């Protein structure tokens, strides 16, 4: 009889331990979900700011069209993108995100690296673009790179919003 009581007590202790383990696992998952949501909300804001800055870069480096009547001067040192800590934070926590969003964050990082290389390589450089003239290859290349970076940033926001709607809702 004592053996049955001991077996029952052991079974009860086992089930209680498993229930606590399940509860702890749920709490850890919930904590990770809240962390991912907070990072996503900050990223949404930071990516929007980044996209606005990239749009300015793209505009400033565009080739003059036939409707332009004045030459345009582009100074490499005046082309700037504000640092976005939220984008960096998301990149540092990339393991929280699904593959599509992680890849989109990677593409933003590639754009940032290209921008930094451009700024370093062309520091102090000035270009003058005149309407109707063939564009400068360096600026044309930079323009296309900035444009792609902006598209990648917009794509990241799309993946981000999908992730928030489908995975992070309670």
């Amino acid at each position: 009889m004592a053996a049955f009581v001991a077996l029952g007590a052991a079974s009860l202790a086992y089930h209680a331990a498993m229930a606590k383990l399940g509860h702890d696992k749920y709490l850890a998952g919930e904590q990770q979900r809240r962390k991912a949501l907070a990072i996503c909300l900050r990223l949404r804001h930071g990516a929007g700011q980044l996209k606005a800055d990239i749009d300015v870069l793209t505009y400033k480096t565009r080739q003059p069209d036939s409707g332009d009547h004045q030459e345009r001067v582009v100074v490499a040192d005046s082309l700037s993108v504000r640092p976005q800590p939220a984008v960096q934070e998301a990149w540092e926590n990339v393991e929280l995100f699904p593959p599509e969003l992680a890849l989109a964050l990677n593409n933003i990082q590639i754009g940032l690296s290209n921008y930094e290389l451009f700024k370093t390589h062309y520091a102090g450089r000035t270009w003058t673009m005149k309407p109707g003239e063939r564009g400068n290859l360096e600026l044309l290349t930079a323009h296309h790179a900035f444009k792609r970076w902006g598209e990648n940033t917009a794509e990241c926001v799309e993946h981000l919003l999908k992730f928030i709607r489908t995975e992070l809702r309670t």
Side-chain angles (χ1 to χ4, degrees):
M1 183 61 138
F4 285 119
V5 171
L7 183 60
S11 176
L12 222 64
Y14 171 78
H15 287 293
M18 293 309 289
K20 179 167 179 2
L21 183 63
H23 182 68
D24 290 348
K25 189 175 181 180
Y26 168 79
L27 289 178
E30 187 62 19
Q31 182 178 5
Q32 185 161 341
R33 186 192 69 76
R34 283 193 308 274
K35 178 182 178 182
L37 180 59
I39 290 171
C40 285
L41 294 175
R42 289 189 292 271
L43 175 59
R44 174 63 185 98
H45 177 76
Q49 295 284 321
L50 179 61
K51 176 72 167 85
D53 287 353
I54 295 169
D55 288 346
V56 171
L57 289 178
T58 304
Y59 179 78
K60 286 182 175 181
T61 57
R62 79 192 189 291
Q63 298 299 311
D65 58 30
S66 59
D68 289 338
H69 298 294
Q70 295 180 0
E71 68 180 24
R72 190 163 359 112
V73 176
V74 178
V75 179
D77 295 335
S78 74
L79 301 174
S80 63
V81 171
R82 293 169 290 176
Q84 296 300 327
V87 174
Q88 184 60 35
E89 178 190 24
W91 181 243
E92 291 169 359
N93 291 282
V94 72
E95 70 279 357
L96 296 174
F97 306 119
E100 305 84 29
L101 181 51
L103 181 60
L105 281 167
N106 181 63
N107 290 339
I108 288 177
Q109 291 302 116
I110 291 169
L112 181 60
S113 294
N114 289 337
Y115 164 76
E116 289 169 350
L117 286 171
F118 173 85
K119 292 288 285 185
T120 300
H121 188 73
Y122 295 109
R125 184 78 189 271
T126 300
W127 297 271
T128 302
M129 299 186 296
K130 297 179 182 176
E133 285 188 359
R134 186 163 185 233
N136 179 286
L137 183 60
E138 295 163 341
L139 269 186
L140 185 61
T141 302
H143 173 78
H144 288 298
F146 296 150
K147 185 176 179 182
R148 185 67 189 135
W149 187 22
E151 291 166 355
N152 287 339
T153 302
E155 185 178 311
C156 180
V157 170
E158 289 175 20
H159 289 299
L160 175 66
L161 293 174
K162 179 182 175 190
F163 178 60
I164 291 170
R165 282 191 303 268
T166 61
E167 302 294 324
L168 296 180
R169 283 216 149 150
T170 53

